[in-house]
Amino acid sequence: LENDGGDFNIKEDLLQDDPDWEDEHFPCNENLPAHANHTYGVMGCAITSYAMVLNYYGGDCTPVDALKIMELQLAILIDNSIILLGKIRGIRFLRQYFRSDVSAKIAIKGAIIESKPSVIRPVSPNGGYHFVVGYGYRDNGTNVNIYIRDPESDYAYTTLDQYYNAGFHPDKYVVVS
């Protein structure tokens, strides 16, 4: 991988639709009412992205484990998407918003320079959300390209630009430090 920064050890093989947990249902409680009957395979991109980051910080967990060890300070967002807030064993989450793909890339590049992976939430053309992990970048002077790990095996995207080219637009990201 040629890049100017990052290249964190974020596992490529951690997928939301792994046969070991894809059919398992999210726990249903007062924190997750919108996720009743949803499985990790269908709605697990956020928690799988966070599991990737937890593993980067020394954990060894699946998406199911990650949801169990979170302090479950969850904010339920429109369209059944999750942004996880709180602390996991001293790890801090800082939610950020951006207005354009350029500001998104600059902000995520800054986090990568500080050795902090980011969980990124692009919005699809139909208004749905997806979550990926930004772990590296390439800056050629005119464009910053963010390298990602995608928890969804149906997508073969490796860069944030591929999502933008498919009609997604930037929405939010969480710097995990």
Side-chain angles (χ1 to χ4, degrees), residues 14 48 52 61-62 79 89 102 108 116 140 173 175:
L14 196 58
T48 305
M52 289 180 199
C61 62
T62 68
D79 296 325
R89 298 182 186 168
V102 173
I108 295 164
K116 298 174 183 175
N140 67 11
Y173 74 101
V175 176

Side-chain angles (χ1 to χ4, degrees), residues 18-30:
D18 185 295
D20 288 342
W21 54 77
E22 72 177 332
D23 294 326
E24 189 165 334
H25 287 86
F26 280 174
C28 185
N29 59 39
E30 65 277 0

Side-chain angles (χ1 to χ4, degrees), residues 32-33 54-55 88 90 95 104:
L32 291 169
L54 284 175
N55 292 341
I88 304 174
R95 183 167 50 176

Side-chain angles (χ1 to χ4, degrees), residues 4 101-106 109 137-147 159-162 164-165:
D4 294 327
D101 65 339
V102 173
S103 67
K105 291 177 187 182
I106 291 169
K109 174 186 168 185
Y137 70 90
R138 175 83 176 154
D139 188 342
N140 67 11
T142 57
N143 183 43
V144 175
N145 202 355
I146 303 296
Y147 293 107
T159 68
L160 196 54
D161 278 351
Q162 289 172 302
Y164 294 164
N165 293 339

Side-chain angles (χ1 to χ4, degrees), residues 13-88:
D13 60 349
L14 196 58
L15 300 171
Q16 70 188 69
D17 52 359
D18 185 295
D20 288 342
W21 54 77
E22 72 177 332
D23 294 326
E24 189 165 334
H25 287 86
F26 280 174
C28 185
N29 59 39
E30 65 277 0
N31 293 322
L32 291 169
H35 286 281
N37 298 316
H38 288 150
T39 64
Y40 287 88
V42 174
M43 297 294 294
C45 56
I47 195 62
T48 305
S49 293
Y50 282 98
M52 289 180 199
V53 173
L54 284 175
N55 292 341
Y56 163 74
Y57 282 111
D60 184 19
C61 62
T62 68
V64 177
D65 300 329
L67 195 55
K68 289 176 185 173
I69 65 173
M70 298 291 287
E71 289 181 356
L72 292 180
Q73 297 176 24
L74 304 174
I76 304 302
L77 303 175
I78 298 170
D79 296 325
N80 300 323
S81 297
I82 306 173
I83 287 286
L84 304 167
L85 304 173
K87 294 182 178 180
I88 304 174

